[in-house]
Amino acid sequence: MNIYDFLSRYKKKRTSFQKSMEYKYFIDHRHLLLRMPKYAFLYDSDDNEFDMMRANIILRSLISKDIIEKKIVEISSSLKKESNVHSKLVSELRKSFVDLPYYLEGKTKIYLPIFNRPLNYFYSREPEKLLEPPYDKLMTDFNVYLVDPFDTYGPEIYASLFTRLVLVGQNGKEYAYFHYDTYTIYIINSEGRLDHQIVLFDKWIPKVDKNDLIDRIRPVIDAYFNFDRDRFYACLIESKLVSERAMNLYKRKYGKND
């Protein structure tokens, strides 16, 4: 058993993830995944916290798509008899973008990570094209245009308003995120997939100290990215994220295979 499985097995009892906003959002909206066969496999992610977070990125993106398209139709219809329709449409449409989640790539806001960058540009900068062939198909027959947002935008997509994850460190294209609802650090690789998850607070910790968590986590992540196993273990204990008893038990039972 590796250290990640060990910490997951012996984690301290905590508030169920099923009571979190992340879980509720997924349950309320997961039926929308059935509109997209490419992502339908995520429909049963209610037993996997990380897959649920991935699904919610896709769901929030699809809901934003519907909101934007509805606004485009409404605004363009009201502007039919006016001059300079393009600039007025873009100006009015931007007002509906205010409350939408986005991923900031450089200076560009990506509102629909289920689409590639050029299509995101059309939605925000040239929305009138969505009312004409061939882009009008995006409103109804859009599955052919879908991309994998995690392949396309990489691990940075999680550092966005599409999730409740907090970035705690990175090493090249490998990122570490923390989620307050799960008390777990997620190590995500360059393809936007989960490599490891580090569950904090084992059952032998008498009382969980939630103060300055991000600052306490960063030395742990630095040791992880430096491939310093001993320092990684020491930082978990020093930062009071894992008990010394748990670490000693792990080393005694499984350390030889580590």
Side-chain angles (χ1 to χ4, degrees), residues 191-233:
E191 286 78 39
R193 288 348 188 236
L194 182 67
D195 268 355
H196 297 295
Q197 59 182 37
I198 307 166
V199 180
L200 306 181
F201 305 124
D202 58 84
K203 69 178 186 177
W204 293 288
I205 287 183
K207 185 178 181 180
V208 171
D209 180 1
K210 301 177 184 178
N211 294 318
D212 303 317
L213 265 179
I214 301 304
D215 289 337
R216 289 157 56 199
I217 286 170
R218 287 199 171 107
V220 173
I221 297 306
D222 288 344
Y224 175 90
F225 283 141
N226 285 319
F227 306 101
D228 190 337
R229 182 186 60 190
D230 292 338
R231 184 62 188 151
F232 173 67
Y233 292 165

Side-chain angles (χ1 to χ4, degrees), residues 109-125:
K109 291 180 179 179
I110 303 292
Y111 291 94
L112 308 176
I114 55 174
F115 291 147
N116 62 23
R117 294 168 181 83
L119 289 184
N120 271 273
Y121 180 86
F122 287 143
Y123 270 85
S124 60
R125 302 294 181 85

Side-chain angles (χ1 to χ4, degrees), residues 38-39 58 112-117 119-120 142-153:
K38 183 182 182 75
Y39 307 131
I58 293 166
L112 308 176
I114 55 174
F115 291 147
N116 62 23
R117 294 168 181 83
L119 289 184
N120 271 273
F142 61 90
N143 274 281
V144 67
Y145 298 99
L146 293 174
V147 300
D148 185 317
F150 313 105
D151 279 340
T152 304
Y153 299 102

